[in-house]
Amino acid sequence: MINLVDTPGHVDFTGKVTRALRAIDGAVVVVDAVEGIMAQTEVVTRQAPRGKSSSRSLINKVDRLITEMQLNADQVERKLQHIIDRFNDLIEVYGDEILRKVWKLTLITIVLPLVQRFTDGLHARHRTAP
């Protein structure tokens, strides 16, 4: 059986997040690509279930970097690398040995060519639009 507990990321809900983290076997920390690492990300990372290899992290809303912020592929890569570096620093500080092995992020090489093609196509469409 899998029970999912979705907790708000806003700092006003820190108590609820803390209580939820006590009752779970693993966690998924979602980081917004535009907002990046926020104070609540650090709180959740610090309180994440120790010794649980089922904990994961991911960066969400990467498309907003391209569509809303109009970043090119190199800028997207730098932004994502900055988020990854900050998250990995948190894991290094707060994570136990298992979390340091499983939660550390890397920039997946297959993603970057896809981002490059998407941004090239998007910018080309905007240049040729009447």
Side-chain angles (χ1 to χ4, degrees):
M1 178 186 338
I2 297 175
N3 291 314
L4 298 176
V5 180
D6 183 9
T7 59
H10 195 274
V11 71
D12 289 348
F13 298 97
T14 300
K16 291 182 181 187
V17 173
T18 301
R19 286 189 296 279
L21 285 171
R22 289 186 194 134
I24 61 174
D25 294 323
V28 176
V29 175
V30 179
V31 178
D32 185 303
V34 175
E35 301 293 331
I37 302 295
M38 300 182 77
Q40 196 65 2
T41 310
E42 184 171 347
V43 169
V44 170
T45 305
R46 187 175 349 115
Q47 297 174 349
R50 301 292 183 236
K52 304 294 183 181
S53 61
S54 58
S55 297
R56 297 288 183 261
S57 52
L58 64 94
I59 301 173
N60 194 20
K61 302 179 184 178
V62 175
D63 60 314
R64 290 182 59 206
L65 296 175
I66 301 163
T67 58
E68 293 175 23
M69 297 179 68
Q70 300 292 307
L71 300 182
N72 64 36
D74 291 334
Q75 293 168 319
V76 170
E77 180 179 356
R78 282 194 300 276
K79 176 75 171 168
L80 293 176
Q81 190 61 58
H82 177 72
I83 292 170
I84 288 168
D85 291 344
R86 290 214 41 223
F87 188 82
N88 287 345
D89 289 345
L90 290 176
I91 296 303
E92 198 58 43
V93 170
Y94 298 117
D96 60 14
E97 184 179 340
I98 292 175
L99 284 183
R100 283 194 295 271
K101 286 181 184 174
V102 223
W103 261 25
K104 283 210 172 173
L105 298 174
T106 58
L107 201 54
I108 302 171
T109 55
I110 196 166
V111 171
L112 297 179
L114 294 174
V115 168
Q116 180 69 52
R117 283 196 299 260
F118 183 78
T119 55
D120 288 348
L122 180 70
H123 294 305
R125 262 183 280 160
H126 286 289
R127 283 192 300 269
T128 58

